[in-house]
Amino acid sequence: MLARTCLALALVLALPVHAADDAKKTPSAKDLLAKSTPDEWRTPDPANLVYMDLPQGRVIIELAQDWTPAHAANIRTLIREHYFDGTQVIRVQDNFVTQWGDADGDDKAKAKSLGTAKESLPAEFTRKGGKYPFTRLPDGDVYAPEVGFSDGFPVARDAKAGEAWITHCYGTVGVARDVGAETGNGSSLYAIIGQAPRNLDRNLAVAGKVLKGMEILSAYPRGGEPMGFYEKPEQRVTIKSVRLAADVPEAKRTPIQVLRTESKTFAAVIEAKRNRKDDFYTRPAGKIDLCNINVPVRDPSKKP
Amino acid sequence: MLARTCLALALVLALPVHAADDAKKTPSAKDLLAKSTPDEWRTPDPANLVYMDLPQGRVIIELAQDWTPAHAANIRTLIREHYFDGTQVIRVQDNFVTQWGDADGDDKAKAKSLGTAKESLPAEFTRKGGKYPFTRLPDGDVYAPEVGFSDGFPVARDAKAGEAWITHCYGTVGVARDVGAETGNGSSLYAIIGQAPRNLDRNLAVAGKVLKGMEILSAYPRGGEPMGFYEKPEQRVTIKSVRLAADVPEAKRTPIQVLRTESKTFAAVIEAKRNRKDDFYTRPAGKIDLCNINVPVRDPSKKP
């Protein structure tokens, strides 16, 4: 029997093909990235780079400094005062979010001190006016007038209203809050682990985006209580430590680079996915949705 | 400190509110379902209902008999001859698919016999012409001219081309295949566990949809090999058994009902999600994407 295991093989592997066939086929992302130039990659600012060390490995998050500066500052304070060390993954709701923070955060008597961090922050749900890079996608969006990428983040904008915001895509990290718009402070964060819940857009502050380690956050057992909270304290995973890359000696940092979302190679990667046609994909979609695009990340210490 | 754990509370819990506030607030799905009538729910045909028993529990899949009849028939044959018993979860690729089948399927010498099932099937990637129920969504779609629901399945259609197809949303079950369009036979299946990979639409046959148990399929550790294959055989989860509900004595079946996608209550659930406005959600999306809608399922033996 032939392989039934080849689903989407063409997505990942560059199959050896005759030169004559090459022209007809969409190049793979791997091939396109191999041809990228060094200046097409950026090294995130270590002051915006968060290492969250879990028993299963390291999750790396880039803070959205330019989009939610008050939240980025407060999260940096929490990290520098080691607030997150020993806090836990408290909630995993299938096809929605993995959330972490102080399991006793609801209980004033038991809640961990926020130290010098603020308890309340301005509701940075959208960005009003100002300048920012914007690489627009060509196929529209169900939710917003325009969507695209800005410095690696998936964003939507409404030019008429003069507003833009980071969208809730897979891997987006948001700030949990209570009912009041200003009740979020970054001490409890969530990562999107399912179909992009775009109805959260403009209702919550986005803290940043997971660059590495989503496969850890997405594979925790789902909680059995409403909203995916764990029934028993022992089901919670305890966070070993959360540090800023800037506070880790340079030699001990995890090497990471992100493909610039204004680069030619990123445009080519998107185009190849929009119009993928090869031996496996015979009917190209011809379109692509914002949250179907993964921004490539690489370890610059490894040869491509 | 106030709860940081209340993200999306309003999505799940009906908060007690003053009657005067009620009118301004979007009803919750829970409230809407509580008011549904018995005739708004359907009991899936047991001949199309698959019980896949894994060590972590039961996954229930509804076969898309009306959309991919040749595949449904072949999968029924495989199930009735106990083909799947002892096969394994062979691949979990983050934000993409969990795939199961014969780990040795690629190796002609070792592959499990398909019994009386067919090795090759017509490429039922789209449905041409014919009549089928279609509850159209109002907000458009990035990929297709029209999207909506048909008998519980998320579908797209292109009226001009006279074609319709089940879309690859979270929980959609597809038929893995080799490069050739007719190389799929249902002996290896995959479930979508991440952002809807709509570029698979019209390139693969959709076998059905997971009605229950997605939280099992979505939480397996991701495989470390390319495409999420597991490195070591011992990482694979072995399937205990796969049975058709029709072959299980009625008293031993898992009670399950699905909200009719042409019902008033389903329309109300969609509308409430499109325009959710309450104490937490202050800016309603005003729109909804096809794959953001979960078709409600219930256990009719439990009181609502």
Side-chain angles (χ1 to χ4, degrees):
Chain A
M1 191 180 77
L2 284 174
R4 305 290 159 219
T5 52
C6 290
L7 167 68
L9 187 67
L11 263 181
V12 177
L13 301 175
L15 293 167
V17 285
H18 296 292
D21 290 340
D22 269 349
K24 294 179 224 159
K25 287 178 187 170
T26 319
S28 71
K30 195 183 169 188
D31 286 347
L32 291 167
L33 294 178
K35 289 179 194 160
S36 66
T37 56
D39 60 303
E40 290 190 303
W41 296 83
R42 67 183 173 88
T43 302
D45 182 344
N48 295 331
L49 218 50
V50 176
Y51 297 157
M52 175 160 69
D53 286 336
L54 292 153
Q56 296 77 15
R58 174 166 287 183
V59 172
I60 302 183
I61 297 164
E62 183 171 19
L63 296 175
Q65 169 63 33
D66 293 342
W67 293 80
T68 47
H71 284 80
N74 216 48
I75 291 169
R76 269 192 292 268
T77 300
L78 290 164
I79 292 173
R80 288 194 154 135
E81 297 178 2
H82 297 187
Y83 172 82
F84 290 104
D85 301 11
T87 63
Q88 297 176 305
V89 174
I90 52 174
R91 169 189 182 203
V92 185
Q93 184 172 352
D94 195 50
N95 193 20
F96 194 38
V97 298
T98 291
Q99 186 179 334
W100 59 94
D102 179 7
D104 294 320
D106 285 1
D107 184 337
K108 272 194 175 184
K110 288 191 198 168
K112 198 166 177 172
S113 164
L114 295 180
T116 69
K118 291 173 184 162
E119 184 157 337
S120 177
L121 294 175
E124 297 173 315
F125 300 167
T126 66
R127 180 174 181 164
K128 273 115 186 158
K131 283 196 173 180
Y132 49 88
F134 186 70
T135 305
R136 193 176 177 275
L137 288 176
D139 302 312
D141 182 64
V142 167
Y143 293 90
E146 287 182 293
V147 290
F149 285 88
S150 184
D151 277 336
F153 294 102
V155 300
R157 73 176 179 187
D158 182 341
K160 229 162 108 187
E163 272 187 316
W165 57 94
I166 297 180
T167 54
H168 281 82
C169 291
Y170 194 87
T172 292
V173 176
V175 177
R177 63 167 171 86
D178 273 339
V179 169
E182 300 194 350
T183 56
N185 56 37
S187 64
S188 189
L189 299 168
Y190 61 89
I192 301 301
I193 60 163
Q195 178 70 19
R198 298 281 307 278
N199 55 322
L200 300 186
D201 289 0
R202 301 185 290 177
N203 283 291
L204 289 133
V206 169
K209 190 191 152 183
V210 175
L211 297 182
K212 202 172 182 291
M214 266 310 293
E215 72 286 358
I216 298 171
L217 295 177
S218 63
Y220 286 128
R222 281 48 180 155
E225 293 290 309
M227 296 169 58
F229 283 99
Y230 286 121
E231 299 94 319
K232 298 172 191 166
E234 58 268 30
Q235 292 175 287
R236 299 177 193 136
V237 168
T238 299
I239 298 168
K240 295 206 272 188
S241 74
V242 178
R243 295 290 178 272
L244 277 180
D247 296 338
V248 171
E250 219 170 313
K252 291 195 170 178
R253 291 181 196 160
T254 303
I256 193 164
Q257 287 187 323
V258 183
L259 187 64
R260 290 184 193 277
T261 45
E262 65 277 18
S263 68
K264 278 186 186 172
T265 294
F266 186 61
V269 167
I270 292 173
E271 203 47 34
K273 194 162 182 190
R274 284 180 77 233
N275 290 305
R276 165 131 243 119
K277 190 166 184 170
D278 52 32
D279 291 335
F280 192 88
Y281 287 91
T282 54
R283 293 190 73 171
K287 310 267 183 175
I288 199 155
D289 185 54
L290 174 68
C291 292
N292 274 112
I293 299 168
N294 304 314
V295 180
V297 162
R298 72 174 182 185
D299 175 350
S301 70
K302 287 184 188 161
K303 282 275 162 208
Chain B
M1 191 181 77
L2 284 174
R4 304 290 162 220
T5 51
C6 292
L7 165 68
L9 187 67
L11 263 181
V12 178
L13 300 176
L15 293 167
V17 285
H18 296 293
D21 290 339
D22 269 348
K24 293 179 225 161
K25 286 178 189 171
T26 319
S28 71
K30 195 183 167 186
D31 286 347
L32 292 167
L33 295 179
K35 288 179 196 161
S36 65
T37 55
D39 59 304
E40 290 190 303
W41 297 83
R42 67 182 172 90
T43 302
D45 182 344
N48 295 331
L49 218 51
V50 176
Y51 297 157
M52 176 160 69
D53 285 337
L54 292 153
Q56 294 78 17
R58 174 166 288 184
V59 172
I60 301 182
I61 297 164
E62 183 172 17
L63 296 175
Q65 169 64 33
D66 294 342
W67 294 80
T68 47
H71 284 80
N74 216 46
I75 290 168
R76 269 192 291 266
T77 300
L78 290 164
I79 292 174
R80 289 195 154 135
E81 296 179 3
H82 297 187
Y83 172 83
F84 290 105
D85 300 12
T87 62
Q88 297 177 304
V89 174
I90 53 175
R91 170 190 181 202
V92 186
Q93 184 171 354
D94 195 49
N95 193 20
F96 193 38
V97 297
T98 290
Q99 187 179 332
W100 58 94
D102 178 7
D104 294 320
D106 286 2
D107 185 337
K108 273 195 175 185
K110 288 191 200 167
K112 195 167 178 171
S113 163
L114 295 180
T116 68
K118 291 174 184 161
E119 184 156 338
S120 177
L121 294 175
E124 297 172 315
F125 299 168
T126 65
R127 179 175 181 162
K128 272 116 186 157
K131 282 195 172 181
Y132 50 87
F134 186 71
T135 306
R136 194 177 176 274
L137 289 174
D139 302 312
D141 181 64
V142 168
Y143 292 90
E146 287 182 292
V147 290
F149 285 88
S150 184
D151 276 335
F153 294 101
V155 300
R157 72 177 181 186
D158 183 342
K160 229 161 98 186
E163 272 187 315
W165 57 95
I166 297 180
T167 55
H168 281 81
C169 291
Y170 194 86
T172 291
V173 175
V175 177
R177 64 167 172 86
D178 273 340
V179 168
E182 301 194 349
T183 56
N185 56 37
S187 64
S188 189
L189 300 168
Y190 61 88
I192 301 302
I193 59 163
Q195 178 71 20
R198 297 282 307 277
N199 56 321
L200 300 187
D201 289 359
R202 299 184 293 178
N203 283 290
L204 290 133
V206 168
K209 190 190 154 187
V210 175
L211 297 184
K212 199 169 182 293
M214 266 310 293
E215 72 286 357
I216 297 172
L217 295 177
S218 64
Y220 286 127
R222 279 51 179 154
E225 294 290 309
M227 298 167 56
F229 283 99
Y230 286 120
E231 300 93 317
K232 297 172 193 166
E234 57 267 31
Q235 292 175 288
R236 298 178 195 137
V237 168
T238 299
I239 298 168
K240 295 206 271 185
S241 73
V242 178
R243 295 290 178 272
L244 277 180
D247 297 337
V248 171
E250 219 171 314
K252 290 194 170 178
R253 291 182 195 157
T254 304
I256 192 165
Q257 287 187 323
V258 183
L259 186 64
R260 290 183 192 277
T261 45
E262 65 276 19
S263 68
K264 279 188 185 171
T265 294
F266 187 60
V269 167
I270 292 173
E271 204 46 35
K273 194 162 183 191
R274 285 180 77 230
N275 289 307
R276 165 131 242 121
K277 190 166 183 170
D278 51 35
D279 291 335
F280 191 89
Y281 288 90
T282 54
R283 292 191 72 171
K287 308 266 182 178
I288 198 154
D289 185 54
L290 173 67
C291 293
N292 273 111
I293 299 168
N294 305 315
V295 180
V297 162
R298 72 174 181 185
D299 176 348
S301 70
K302 286 182 188 163
K303 282 273 161 210

